[in-house]
Amino acid sequence: MKFFKIIFLSVTVLVCSSSNNLSGLVPAYDSEYVQASSITHNGEQYKVISMKRSGKRVRAKYFAYKLNGQEIHQRYNNWKTGKDIILYTSGTYMDVSFDAKTAELKGLTVDNGKIVSEKLEVNKFSGKDEMDALVIVYPHGGIAVSNLKERNLKLSGGGANPNKFYDLRGSSQDLNKFKEWAKSERATVFQTHLLAWKDKLQFEYNHGTKSAARERRFLAIGTAPNGDVMHYIVHKPKHASLYEASKKVLNFLNERKRLKVLALLNLDTGIQDVVKIYTKSGAVNNMITSTNNQTIYNARNLLVYYFE
């Protein structure tokens, strides 16, 4: 009987350590830092995950691409052991391929210090710069966003000059130095559309272009009235163009959440619309689901938030 008890205890410990807590005895995350809610604002519904970065209990991880022969879902499953996952969602865009398994990433991409895609994104027809948000995810779980249009990225560590403004678009030397820095610091980097910056929309409605109307999902980073740095995942279920959805979500965050928005970033809800939210007990929260039933096995990149 003692031998049976020891085996049972070992199995229990193994199961609890390799997945989100489902026992209900110890919460997977603290609701003081993470809250999930569905809110109606100006007649429209917004599904929101709010995460307080103060205290650095909430952290981020980005899987930019398959690495060392492992697909995204394999890398994620190996990494998540012992971690309390808040959510995961698809991140940046892929190329024009309609097959999520073969499509390539767009824009400058670095995964934990390994260069995946070397070039900054430009329009293949006009040659103009595209995707102004450069997102840096640090090994310790922090996220920084730079507006490439401002050409004033600052770096520290990794041999970078802390007093220099790096212009990645205007200087190939600065771009190469940034890549060296990312390798040295084991940073993860990706590009996406910068929809709003410092509380202002960053693009205007184009009457000659009809953006597809679909559900939209955003990552917003900003400051609450009390000074807390906040990260929000905002899902807008009602179909809208990217412009209309961005405008409404920015208004929602400013007015309803009183958030001073530093950056509003678009998250992919196209062919690789992968998303899963967890409750604080570790159960799946179905308040936000994939629009086309994609699973993590279809992920080409993955933004993960977890709690420590």
Side-chain angles (χ1 to χ4, degrees):
M1 182 61 71
K2 290 182 179 179
F3 180 69
F4 173 78
K5 287 182 178 179
I6 292 172
I7 292 178
F8 180 77
L9 178 61
S10 299
V11 172
T12 302
V13 171
L14 178 61
V15 170
C16 290
S17 66
S18 61
S19 63
N20 273 22
N21 184 341
L22 294 173
S23 67
L25 297 178
V26 180
Y29 57 76
D30 189 338
S31 56
E32 180 185 344
Y33 291 86
V34 183
Q35 293 184 351
S37 57
S38 181
I39 302 171
T40 299
H41 177 72
N42 290 340
E44 289 206 42
Q45 184 185 43
Y46 299 89
K47 298 180 179 182
V48 182
I49 311 297
S50 64
M51 296 169 285
K52 182 170 67 173
R53 276 280 295 155
S54 302
K56 299 181 180 178
R57 302 293 305 279
V58 172
R59 303 187 179 195
K61 170 73 174 176
Y62 192 75
F63 297 92
Y65 202 59
K66 57 187 177 183
L67 204 61
N68 299 324
Q70 289 194 325
E71 299 290 340
I72 293 293
H73 69 273
Q74 295 170 316
R75 295 182 60 201
Y76 168 77
N77 285 329
N78 290 336
W79 168 85
K80 75 173 184 178
T81 300
K83 294 181 174 62
D84 294 321
I85 307 299
I86 300 169
L87 65 89
Y88 62 71
T89 179
S90 46
T92 192
Y93 310 99
M94 301 181 298
D95 65 15
V96 294
S97 171
F98 288 98
D99 184 348
K101 293 183 178 179
T102 60
E104 300 294 331
L105 296 174
K106 297 181 69 175
L108 179 63
T109 307
V110 185
D111 194 321
N112 199 35
K114 182 174 181 178
I115 305 296
V116 177
S117 176
E118 288 191 312
K119 296 181 179 180
L120 292 166
E121 187 66 16
V122 296
N123 187 291
K124 64 180 180 180
F125 299 109
S126 68
K128 293 182 178 180
D129 294 325
E130 284 191 333
M131 296 167 58
D132 295 324
L134 185 77
V135 185
I136 303 172
V137 184
Y138 293 94
H140 54 67
I143 290 184
V145 180
S146 177
N147 184 348
L148 289 171
K149 279 185 176 179
E150 294 187 345
R151 304 173 183 269
N152 60 357
L153 176 65
K154 298 202 73 174
L155 303 171
S156 62
N161 181 351
N163 299 314
K164 175 180 172 61
F165 290 117
Y166 288 85
D167 177 6
L168 304 194
R169 282 179 170 162
S171 168
S172 58
Q173 184 177 2
D174 283 3
L175 179 58
N176 289 332
K177 184 60 183 179
F178 174 74
K179 293 174 188 176
E180 293 174 7
W181 173 87
K183 290 178 184 179
S184 175
E185 295 296 300
R186 294 187 303 110
T188 296
V189 180
F190 66 96
Q191 271 185 272
T192 189
H193 282 133
L194 183 61
L195 305 174
W197 180 251
K198 297 178 181 177
D199 283 329
K200 294 182 179 180
L201 285 178
Q202 293 299 292
F203 63 103
E204 296 180 357
Y205 182 72
N206 186 345
H207 292 277
T209 302
K210 292 184 179 179
S211 174
R214 59 157 52 113
E215 293 190 23
R216 300 288 178 177
R217 192 176 308 129
F218 304 88
L219 168 62
I221 298 175
T223 307
N226 65 358
D228 285 337
V229 174
M230 302 293 298
H231 289 203
Y232 282 86
I233 299 294
V234 182
H235 186 84
K236 185 180 178 301
K238 186 176 180 180
H239 286 206
S241 68
L242 185 57
Y243 172 82
E244 289 295 336
S246 302
K247 183 178 178 181
K248 289 180 178 181
V249 167
L250 179 60
N251 175 269
F252 163 74
L253 291 168
N254 285 158
E255 292 191 359
R256 190 63 176 264
K257 291 297 182 179
R258 295 191 299 154
L259 186 73
K260 186 176 181 181
V261 176
L262 171 66
L264 182 67
L265 312 176
N266 193 35
L267 300 176
D268 192 3
T269 54
I271 59 172
Q272 65 142 3
D273 180 15
V274 175
V275 62
K276 186 166 284 188
I277 314 296
Y278 291 94
T279 68
K280 68 178 182 179
S281 64
V284 174
N285 181 347
N286 288 317
M287 67 176 287
I288 302 175
T289 57
S290 171
T291 57
N292 49 14
N293 300 314
Q294 296 290 337
T295 69
I296 195 170
Y297 296 98
N298 299 102
R300 298 293 286 175
N301 55 76
L302 203 68
L303 174 64
V304 185
Y305 278 92
Y306 62 104
F307 190 79
E308 284 195 350

